[in-house]
Amino acid sequence: MMTSFDDVRRGLQKQGGDLTADESEMVRQFLYADAISPQFVRKLVQDYGDASIAAAFFIPQDDGKHYLEYLRRRYKLDDQVFCS
């Protein structure tokens, strides 16, 4: 996972715009990974926002923030991961 972290970081920095297939996949894999702590996900969301997460999961930006709750529950992230 860490060998692909640059793809995750680059993808998050793009704020949801023009993610490559590799960046999108790495953002998804980042959320799927059991080895990645919810605190680390929270820190990256605070630093880069969540637009690229929405884009990686093909969720329209005008869909509100309900997708964050779904992803949190789906991937068992802690309650505070996506809170600002």
Side-chain angles (χ1 to χ4, degrees):
M1 177 64 201
M2 293 312 285
T3 59
S4 299
F5 184 71
D6 285 337
D7 288 329
V8 173
R9 188 178 42 77
R10 273 192 303 274
L12 292 173
Q13 287 174 329
K14 289 184 175 181
Q15 300 293 309
D18 298 326
L19 275 90
T20 67
D22 285 342
E23 290 164 347
S24 292
E25 180 60 23
M26 289 299 101
V27 168
R28 287 189 297 272
Q29 291 300 320
F30 179 73
L31 288 180
Y32 300 153
D34 290 335
I36 303 299
S37 74
Q39 294 82 9
F40 189 51
V41 175
R42 180 184 327 119
K43 175 66 173 142
L44 290 179
V45 168
Q46 287 173 349
D47 290 350
Y48 299 107
D50 57 33
S52 289
I53 294 171
F57 283 91
F58 306 103
I59 299 168
Q61 286 297 297
D62 61 351
D63 211 30
K65 298 291 182 178
H66 303 290
Y67 71 91
L68 295 174
E69 177 65 16
Y70 167 77
L71 293 175
R72 184 188 66 78
R73 289 175 186 259
R74 175 74 172 94
Y75 300 109
K76 301 177 185 153
L77 300 172
D78 81 11
D79 289 335
Q80 299 302 311
V81 168
F82 297 115
C83 294
S84 329

